[in-house]
Structures are given as structure tokens and as C-alpha cells.
Amino acid sequence: MTPRRQMKVLGSMLMAIGILLIAPLRASGQEKKVPERSEIDRQYLWATELIYPNDEAWEADFAKLEPEIARLASFQGKLSESPQTLLEFFKLRDDVSPRFEKCYVYASLMSDQDTRVTKYQGFEDRLRGLAVKFGQATAWVEPELISIPWETLDKWMKENQELALYRHALENLFRQKKHVLTPPEEMLIALSGQVFSVPHTAYNLLVNADIQFPKIKDADGNDVELTDSAFYIMLDSPDRRVRKDAYEGIVGTYRKYRNTAAALLNGAVQTHIFNVRARKYDSCLAASLDGSNIPVEVYNNLVRTVNENLPLLHRYTTIRRKALHLDDGVHDYDLYAPLTPEVKLEYDYRQAVQHMLEALKPLGPDYCRTVQQGVDSRWIDVFPTKGKRSGAYSSGTYLTQPFILLNFHGGYEDLSTLCHEMGHSMHSHLSRTTQPYVYADYDIFCAEVASITNELLLQEYILDTVKDPKTRLFLLVEFLEDFRGTVFRQTMFSEFEQKIHEMAEQGQPLTADSLGQTYGQIMKKYYGPDYTHDPLVDDYWIRIPHFYYNFYVYKYATSYCAASNIVKRIRAGQPGAVEKYLTFLRSGSSKYPLELLNEAGVDMTSAQPIQDAMKYFEKLLDQTEELLGLK
Ligand SMILES: [Zn+2]
């Protein structure tokens, strides 16, 4: 579910490698007997040979990178000399960075397709080492650029058209200038970096290494070891006893560490507060959003509008209570329980591709032709094979075609994942073939819009075609769950995140009790009168790693709402809607995220896109209630 790509961070003008968009926690697919890669028809394997025909070619390119980094470093102190020198530096950087990324993409794809082959992990390690050198060799660039008077740069760009290409990137850098401190102050902040990462590191070690979960009995009475990754599979069980035992096994175990976990989360929040005070931001939220130039109002607007629509989520809780006959109310461990466990949808891969092409038809013949070409020219590594990395992502870089890693099992979620990742890859493809390198990558705020638009087009198409009531019910609940997990749940997390930062900013202590109380109150508010709150739920926040990512998860919700608004207008045949959306996909990061979305017809500072999404949720609720005979 995560686009994986190499990114230039325009704000820092530094290259970061291997940045992953972090996916919300979700259920993973079941294990089946897996073949070796050699048993898979070549047309279902991604075309890594188009990046490098062999490892020797990779080695040859890799060897060229180190001297190039030294060349970049040699520009230190010279950027302000003349527009020609500055342009020469930008051109060199825009030449070296994509070649670096190309090396990285090859190494990571080769490593992920069979993690048993350690050679490519070695390639990745060497690149990571080189990335550190790259970072050190170019750490001076940003401070040096902002020390040039803007008037000078402005004049240079007016006189030199090639340099004018970098105007937006430079404006973005200067926009944040007021938060950049003096060189000695910056040095002190840089020195504190490793100390500041301790809470997150310690949290990761606590939950991934130290915490041991108990065994529980599965539906057949067999002992199974609980793991955090098996958690959602257990919560998906039709057997309530299994769900409850799994929930108590996992969350009950986290609860034992609640004081440590509270101290760690408090530590992370305090690092954000330090940054706010040192760099003179208004709040932790404002500081975090400033990186993508997102006003705080966008965040507040999301939380406010979702809150206004909570009666819809309460209605969904009621549907669950009635359909599952839960006389004592819906507990947290009932929220994932299937309503139609007997329905299993199966697609073979060819069928899935055909469904995808049909579903994406509203985006026009050009879009669909490119998708077909992508499938034919082996963008996708389709099936699970021995040693292959699990999950799904979209990768590739400026000098390569897009690449999609799938683990296609044939369920509806696999078809949906195919459309989702194709959305990322088409966004990358269209931006990379339209934009110069400096603007070819899109901001994370925009990334999930392209993928969710495809998912929603698929949902509408499937609902149009499937008539069998049981199958429809199965699908409707899938879509409701998808909505709940992406919009309501992530906004709920966002609200928690905002609340605890505000508490800390006002000097209130963040303790296990205050965090638990805050989380519990928000849960009760969101799920409504038919939800039964168990005291254990108060400690659920402990298992959410995203709270260490500094206001990240709201982007899932805003992306869903933006996509929902786009799909609504495209499906309604609104004149220009498709063309505007395709322009958005071609725009990379050539403008600020909100501007790009605005041009696609979505105003994320208004309640409208969120209201539109809510109307879609309501439509799904109506149809579900009707099929269940609850109307
Ligand atoms: Zn995604």
C-alpha cells in the first residue's frame, strides 16, 4: 500500500534515499504455498533488466558516483559567485541525484524480489554509506543558498531562463527562512539530533524486540502464538471468543508497559516542542505542516468536519451491533468482524487487470492505454515467490520506468491493491515524463490522492456490476471498513495527536493515565451509543507507531476525501474534471500541494471535499442497511 520511491526533498535540497510512505496499520494476506521465481512466467516478473542488464553494469555506474559527489562538494562557498555557477551546480546535482537513485532502485528491487540473496542487501548498504557521504558533502547547500539575498536570486532568475526553472524550489526554501537559526545555533540543534531520536528508537525496541505476546486458542482450539502482525487476522475471525482473546492478549500485554510507553511518547512530543520553541513556530502542529506549506486550518477543518459527521459512524456501529447480534454492544474487538464470512471473491490476475482497465475507463483512453502498456512492459512483479518481500508498493525513479511490487493472491483486496499501486505508478510516470527532475516527485500530501482515486473508481465500478446480494453485502462492508480505517480512524488518531501536543504545550503532564483518558474519550465520542468501551481500550494508543511520526496520519484522511471529490466529479461527467485531474498527475511538485489540488478542483481548506466523502459513506450505509433488512 505504500509508494516506495526515491525522493528529493526540495525544502532541504538534499537527497534522501529509501523514503517510504508509511501505510496505516492494516490486515495482511494469508500464507499459501509459494513458488520459486524460476517457476513464474517472465511476463509476470518486473523488468529489472531495463534498469541494468546485469550487476556489472550497476557496479560500473556506482563507481562513477563517488567522484561526482566530490565535484558537488567543490562548489562550497561558490554558489553566490554568479548565476552561471549556481546553474552549473543545480545541473550537476540534477544529473548526479537521479543516477544515484537509479542505482538504489535496482539494488532495492533485486533485494526485495528475493531477500534470501544477500548480495543486494550489500548493494543497498554500500548505497546507504554513499548517501551519508552525499549528505555530508552537500550539507552546506541550504544555508549557503539562503544566505544569498533573495533580490539577487530574483534578478538572476529574471535574466537567466534556465535558472528560472528553479524559482519554485528556491521560493519554497526561502519561505522557511525565518525558522532557520544562526550557524552556531544550527550547529547545536544538529548536535542534539541523536539524543532526540532516542524516544522513537526506544519505542521500536520495546514493541518489536522486548514485548512478548501470549499464546491463545484459535477457532479450532489449537494454540497459536500471538504476534502484532497476526492481530488483524484474528480480529477478522467470525468467532467472538477468538477476537476477544486476541485483543486482550495484544493490548493487555501493551498495557503492562503503559508507564514506559507514556514516558517515551512524552519524550517524542517534548522533542517537537523543543523544535517549536527553538525555531519560533506557533505550535507543534504548525511546525509539522509547514514543511509541505499546509495551513493549520486544513487540519482543523478535517477534524471539525469529521466530528460533525460522527452520527454516520454511529450508524455504522449500530449496523454492526444488529447484524452481528451483539446484545452487549459493539466492543473494540468487534469492529473488524466479518458480516459475511462465507463470501470469498476470487480473481485470476488477467481478470483483475481487465477489471482494473474497465474501472479506470472514466480517466480516458490515454490513461488506460498507458496502464495497459505498463502491464505489458512488466512494471509489475505480480505473484508471491519464495523469499519475496511481503506487502505491496510502487517504486522507480526519474531514469527508470515505474515498478510495482505485488503479492497477488486473487482476493478483492488484491485487485484493489493493484489499482492502488497503479495509481501511484501512473502519477509517477505522468509527472516524470512531464516535469524536469527537480519537480518530478510529488509531495506526500498529494501521493495517496492518486492511489485512492483509483481504488474508489474500482469500488464504483464493482458496485455497478455485482448484483448478487450476498456478494454486494460483502463488498459494501469492505468499502465501509476501508472508509472507516482511512477517514474516521486516521482522523481520530489525528485528533488524539493534536490533543496530546496541546496538553504538553500547555505544560500538562503526559502520563499513562492522561494519555489513556484522552484516547478513551475520543473512542467513545467516535463510535457512539452502541459502542461498549472496555477499560483496556484506553491503552490502545501504545500500539500505534505513527504517533512518533509527527502529524502524519491526517494525510490518509485528507487524501481519501480529495480522491472522493475527484471521483464524484469524474463519474458525474463534469466538464473538464478528467483533464484537471490528469494535469494534477502531471504536475509533480512544480507547485505547492494545496495549489495543485486546487487546480484539480479540490479545495482542502473547505469542508466540501470532506462532506462529499461523507455522502459516499452515507450511500454505502444506506445500501448496507437495505441488504440487511434494517431499513
Ligand atoms: Zn499508497
Side-chain angles (χ1 to χ4, degrees), residues 1-3 420-421 424 448 451:
M1 296 283 161
T2 61
H420 180 106
E421 299 306 339
H424 286 310
E448 295 298 331
S451 53

Side-chain angles (χ1 to χ4, degrees), residues 64-231:
K64 287 183 205 148
L65 288 172
E66 194 146 5
E68 301 276 37
I69 290 173
R71 268 183 72 201
L72 279 168
S74 74
F75 278 82
Q76 184 165 9
K78 296 180 185 159
L79 297 186
S80 61
E81 279 177 5
S82 71
Q84 289 74 24
T85 308
L86 183 59
L87 181 62
E88 201 188 324
F89 171 77
F90 281 157
K91 280 185 166 174
L92 178 65
R93 193 199 57 192
D94 290 359
D95 176 55
V96 178
S97 296
R99 287 195 281 128
F100 193 109
E101 293 165 12
K102 187 180 166 192
C103 277
Y104 188 79
V105 167
Y106 180 79
S108 70
L109 299 188
M110 295 301 278
S111 173
D112 286 350
Q113 71 179 24
D114 191 345
T115 53
R116 299 170 302 177
V117 185
T118 53
K119 179 180 187 184
Y120 298 108
Q121 289 160 30
F123 278 24
E124 286 182 296
D125 282 343
R126 287 163 65 195
L127 280 160
R128 270 191 281 271
L130 201 58
V132 172
K133 283 189 189 169
F134 192 105
Q136 287 166 348
T138 53
W140 53 272
V141 175
E142 199 178 300
E144 193 169 318
L145 278 171
I146 56 169
S147 71
I148 305 175
W150 177 254
E151 296 68 33
T152 308
L153 286 171
D154 188 47
K155 185 168 162 285
W156 287 359
M157 287 188 285
K158 280 177 180 151
E159 288 164 4
N160 185 324
Q161 251 200 322
E162 278 189 281
L163 198 58
L165 173 73
Y166 296 92
R167 180 172 285 276
H168 174 66
L170 287 169
E171 276 176 359
N172 190 29
L173 184 64
F174 273 72
R175 179 179 65 78
Q176 298 169 76
K177 187 179 176 175
K178 61 176 180 287
H179 301 295
V180 177
L181 307 175
T182 64
E185 287 170 335
E186 285 293 339
M187 176 59 85
L188 278 176
I189 290 192
L191 282 174
S192 67
Q194 274 192 316
V195 182
F196 281 9
S197 64
V198 168
H200 192 186
T201 312
Y203 171 80
N204 278 337
L205 289 168
L206 175 69
V207 299
N208 295 316
D210 292 348
I211 289 186
Q212 298 291 320
F213 298 108
K215 282 183 180 162
I216 64 161
K217 295 225 182 287
D218 69 10
D220 302 321
N222 304 314
D223 278 337
V224 284
E225 192 111 24
L226 273 181
T227 62
D228 202 68
S229 58
F231 184 48

